[in-house]
Amino acid sequence: NIPADIKIKSIKEAQSEIKQIISNLEDSDTNLEESMDKYNRMMHLNEHIRDQFKKQLKEIRNSNFKNKKDSST
């Protein structure tokens, strides 16, 4: 569901683009359709960031579990 050009972004890149979109929406006169497109892109970026955090958390938990398992043997 997330566009390919968003999936390749790092968390920092996605956050930066969100800030840029918000700034653009606040500082310029955009029509409703353009605003909706930007809002939808921002939602995809946010979803991507959330997915990346979940993935990193899972990797950390797996790493911690493996370290505990290795130290107990």
Side-chain angles (χ1 to χ4, degrees):
N1 196 350
I2 299 174
D5 68 314
I6 291 177
K7 285 185 179 183
I8 61 171
K9 290 184 178 285
S10 69
I11 291 172
K12 285 186 178 188
E13 290 170 331
Q15 288 173 327
S16 178
E17 187 173 342
I18 288 172
K19 288 177 185 177
Q20 183 180 13
I21 291 170
I22 290 170
S23 177
N24 186 280
L25 288 172
E26 290 175 342
D27 295 341
S28 68
D29 293 326
T30 55
N31 63 39
L32 182 59
E33 186 175 337
E34 186 180 349
S35 294
M36 290 299 297
D37 289 343
K38 289 181 180 188
Y39 175 81
N40 287 331
R41 181 157 178 90
M42 198 168 49
M43 292 297 100
H44 287 304
L45 288 160
N46 192 49
E47 183 178 352
H48 171 64
I49 290 169
R50 187 184 69 237
D51 290 348
Q52 291 302 308
F53 275 123
K54 284 182 181 179
K55 180 180 173 185
Q56 289 180 1
L57 179 62
K58 190 175 189 177
E59 289 173 4
I60 290 168
R61 286 182 175 161
N62 287 340
S63 175
N64 286 341
F65 177 75
K66 185 178 182 224
N67 288 341
K68 285 181 182 180
K69 188 177 177 184
D70 290 345
S71 67
S72 65
T73 56

